[in-house]
């Protein structure tokens, strides 16, 4: 017998919950269908929010010849077979897990997207700005599929009751329990509702006790690629950055419950250098030591060194001055703000004019007045130190001395 979740799969855009920004009367996907103007786009958002459903509905309404391609398992030969059909008519390709698409497959697909002979709908749980190659991303419109609210889940449950095989009554407490256990996924909520309907007789009530027994442990996603996992990692970083030690421990607990240590390790290393940086430069070494201890002990003991280092990081002074300086320099270069390397530090020129380069180690304090930025950038300031920690205050004092010798007038 067809499961309830399958029977409840939307047949029209207005039956999809929580995505009115795309599917309402004035939504962009609705307008594409109305005007028969089909653009390639990527749908990204948490699992269970309707990405695949929306793609299939779009396919049905567009009447385009549609093919499905899984970037994790399908190969270039299959894509070539699909794209060969563009010799006869335009095609729609629904690409699941588009963030896993290999470079050679992307390169083969790009000309077809550019010509419009192939329309693509990409599906991913990841943030496309971080996970999808820019070549593909720049040729697609990016549409976020929003996490479902409790009201969305409630509406779906109440609508589904009439499709059950026998008459049941759902108490308010039971409704709330299903919503809590659903992990914001309509499919999970409907599966739990259907299970509950099997353990009560016709006309009986489904209570919260029944739901709790059926639900067991609250649903926790173990997929480290899902969007809400990255949201928790981000929450951990923001808590440490904000020096909120209790919140930092809270999000560490949630992440450890999901069980993937490697992704926690990587994020802690990033935090050590992005948010603590020069305010406490030994933190990077301490984080690596804690990670090594966690790897040697494994779970559940790994939580012990990780708890110590997270508390230390949360309470540490913070500075982002180093990487902020680099980001500003990279932005200038990418915007064309650069210049020739000064001759006195250009090896080719130095070979012809050895006296042009002043070797700092020959000068008192290993300092001299020679500058090294391109001439058109001599008034630029990238690094602006803080003096909120003893270490960076010492760097600031040293920088003042250096600037005075070189004649720099530092901004900020």
């Amino acid at each position: 017998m067809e499961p309830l979740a399958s029977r409840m799969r939307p047949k029209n855009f207005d039956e999809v919950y929580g995505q009115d920004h795309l599917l309402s009367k004035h939504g962009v996907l609705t307008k594409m269908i109305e005007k028969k103007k089909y653009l390639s786009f990527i749908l990204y958002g948490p699992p269970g929010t309707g990405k695949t459903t929306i793609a299939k509905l779009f396919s049905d309404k567009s009447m385009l010849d549609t093919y499905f391609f899984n970037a994790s398992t399908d190969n270039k030969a299959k894509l070539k077979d699909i794209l060969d059909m563009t010799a006869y008519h335009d095609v729609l390709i629904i690409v699941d897990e588009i963030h896993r698409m290999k470079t050679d497959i992307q390169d083969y697909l790009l000309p077809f997207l550019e010509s419009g002979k192939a329309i693509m709908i990409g599906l991913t749980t990841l943030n496309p700005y971080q996970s999808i190659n820019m070549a593909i991303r720049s040729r697609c419109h990016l549409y976020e599929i929003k996490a479902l609210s409790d009201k969305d889940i409630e509406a779906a449950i109440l609508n589904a009751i009439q499709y059950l095989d026998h008459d049941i009554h759902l108490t308010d407490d039971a409704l709330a329990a299903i919503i809590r256990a659903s992990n914001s996924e309509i499919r999970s909520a409907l599966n739990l509702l259907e299970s509950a309907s099997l353990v009560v007789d016709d006309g009986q009530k489904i209570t919260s006790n029944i739901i709790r027994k059926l639900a067991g442990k609250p649903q926790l996603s173990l997929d480290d690629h899902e969007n809400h996992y990255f949201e928790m990692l981000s929450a951990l970083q923001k808590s440490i950055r904000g020096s909120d030690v209790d919140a930092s421990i809270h999000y560490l607990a949630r992440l450890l419950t999901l069980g993937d240590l490697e992704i926690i390790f990587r994020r802690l290393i990033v935090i050590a250098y992005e948010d603590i940086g020069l305010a406490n430069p030994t933190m990077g070494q301490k984080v690596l030591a804690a990670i090594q201890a966690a790897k040697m002990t494994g779970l559940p003991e790994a939580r012990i060194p990780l708890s110590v280092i997270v508390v230390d990081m949360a309470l540490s002074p913070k500075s982002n001055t180093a990487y902020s300086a680099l980001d500003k320099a990279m932005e200038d270069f990418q915007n064309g703000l650069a210049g020739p390397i000064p001759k006195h530090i250009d090896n080719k020129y130095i070979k012809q004019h050895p006296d042009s380069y002043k070797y700092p180690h020959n000068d008192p304090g290993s300092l001299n007045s020679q500058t090294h930025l391109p001439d058109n950038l001599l008034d630029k300031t990238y690094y602006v130190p803080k003096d909120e920690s003893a270490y960076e205050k010492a760097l600031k004092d040293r920088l003042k001395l250096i600037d005075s010798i070189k004649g720099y007038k530092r901004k900020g």
Side-chain angles (χ1 to χ4, degrees):
M1 186 177 72
E2 187 180 13
L4 177 63
S6 178
R7 281 180 279 151
M8 293 295 298
R9 187 177 290 276
K11 297 177 177 58
N12 292 292
F13 281 164
D14 58 8
E15 296 175 11
V16 178
Y17 293 95
Q19 313 305 331
D20 287 350
H21 60 299
L22 300 176
L23 306 177
S24 68
K25 183 170 64 174
H26 302 292
V28 64
L29 298 189
T30 304
K31 291 300 182 182
M32 281 190 204
I33 297 298
E34 283 182 5
K35 297 181 179 182
K36 297 184 178 180
K37 176 67 175 177
Y38 308 125
L39 307 175
S40 292
F41 57 90
I42 295 172
L43 301 177
Y44 68 99
T49 48
K51 295 184 293 297
T52 303
T53 295
I54 293 170
K56 289 180 177 179
L57 284 174
F58 190 93
S59 168
D60 292 342
K61 293 178 178 298
S62 71
M63 304 295 286
L64 290 170
D65 194 12
T66 300
Y67 300 87
F68 292 85
F69 185 87
N70 188 303
S72 291
T73 57
D74 294 334
N75 57 25
K76 186 176 177 180
K78 178 174 180 178
L79 180 66
K80 185 178 184 303
D81 288 342
I82 294 171
L83 294 176
D84 283 347
M85 299 304 296
T86 61
Y88 308 102
H89 50 70
D90 293 350
V91 301
L92 173 65
I93 309 175
I94 298 176
V95 181
D96 198 13
E97 297 192 87
I98 189 173
H99 57 275
R100 299 184 188 274
M101 183 177 280
K102 295 177 181 177
T103 302
D104 63 327
I105 296 179
Q106 293 178 20
D107 292 343
Y108 190 81
L109 175 61
L110 288 177
F112 294 89
L113 296 183
E114 289 180 345
S115 68
K117 297 297 292 180
I119 306 298
M120 184 188 73
I121 302 177
L123 308 177
T124 179
T125 55
L126 300 187
N127 184 332
Y129 294 99
Q130 299 174 351
S131 62
I132 295 176
N133 184 289
M134 186 176 178
I136 286 286
R137 198 175 68 228
S138 64
R139 290 164 175 81
C140 298
H141 299 263
L142 306 180
Y143 300 133
E144 181 179 8
I145 302 300
K146 296 181 179 179
L148 298 175
S149 68
D150 287 354
K151 287 187 177 180
D152 293 326
I153 303 295
E154 178 180 339
I157 294 169
L158 295 177
N159 184 41
I161 289 175
Q162 61 184 306
Y163 292 91
L164 293 171
D165 295 326
H166 58 278
D167 183 35
I168 59 97
H169 301 283
L170 192 66
T171 68
D172 291 342
D173 287 345
L175 176 60
I178 294 176
I179 293 171
R180 283 196 302 272
S182 71
N183 199 31
S184 297
E185 296 183 23
I186 287 179
R187 185 167 51 244
S188 296
L190 297 182
N191 288 343
L192 185 51
L193 174 64
E194 187 171 28
S195 297
S197 72
L198 297 176
V199 301
V200 297
D201 295 326
D202 193 49
Q204 285 189 323
K205 289 183 179 179
I206 295 176
T207 65
S208 58
N209 285 335
I210 292 173
I211 298 300
R212 278 194 292 270
K213 288 178 182 177
L214 290 171
K217 184 178 179 179
Q219 293 212 18
L220 298 172
S221 170
L222 298 179
D223 183 354
D224 65 352
H225 296 292
E226 290 183 357
N227 207 44
H228 62 278
Y229 197 109
F230 284 94
E231 289 298 328
M232 272 195 281
L233 285 167
S234 178
L236 173 66
Q237 181 165 4
K238 289 181 174 67
S239 299
I240 293 175
R241 180 188 298 153
S243 300
D244 190 331
V245 67
D246 294 315
S248 301
I249 288 292
H250 169 78
Y251 291 113
L252 176 64
R254 289 172 67 168
L255 288 163
L256 285 173
T257 302
L258 297 179
D260 189 328
L261 289 175
E262 288 296 329
I263 200 167
I264 298 173
F265 295 160
R266 290 195 295 271
R267 184 55 65 105
L268 291 180
I269 292 170
V270 169
I271 297 169
Y273 289 97
E274 179 181 349
D275 295 306
I276 296 172
L278 290 171
N280 189 353
T282 62
M283 185 58 72
Q285 297 172 3
K286 294 168 76 173
V287 169
L288 289 175
I291 288 171
Q292 185 63 27
K295 286 182 176 179
M296 291 177 66
T297 56
L299 288 171
E301 288 83 0
R303 77 190 191 286
I304 299 170
L306 292 179
S307 69
V308 171
I309 197 62
V310 164
V311 169
D312 197 0
M313 295 173 80
L315 299 180
S316 171
K318 308 293 191 299
S319 175
N320 67 345
T321 54
Y323 98 89
S324 293
L326 178 61
D327 283 354
K328 286 186 285 186
M330 290 178 69
E331 182 181 3
D332 277 354
F333 181 67
Q334 290 165 359
N335 289 333
L337 189 57
I341 296 172
K343 289 182 178 180
H344 57 265
I345 59 170
D346 185 320
N347 284 336
K348 292 180 181 179
Y349 186 83
I350 293 172
K351 284 182 180 179
Q352 298 175 6
H353 307 276
D355 294 336
S356 63
Y357 176 57
K358 297 179 181 179
Y359 191 57
H361 293 295
N362 293 336
D363 296 304
S366 297
L367 289 172
N368 61 45
S369 62
Q370 202 159 55
T371 60
H372 305 84
L373 275 170
D375 290 343
N376 63 320
L377 295 178
L378 283 175
D379 63 342
K380 273 287 182 180
T381 296
Y382 293 116
Y383 175 62
V384 180
K386 293 182 177 180
D387 54 9
E388 298 166 8
S389 67
Y391 186 85
E392 198 164 12
K393 187 178 186 305
L395 292 181
K396 186 176 182 179
D397 293 340
R398 169 77 174 169
L399 186 58
K400 285 181 180 178
L401 171 63
I402 294 168
D403 285 349
S404 68
I405 292 173
K406 293 186 181 297
Y408 277 139
K409 293 183 179 179
R410 189 164 297 273
K411 299 174 184 177

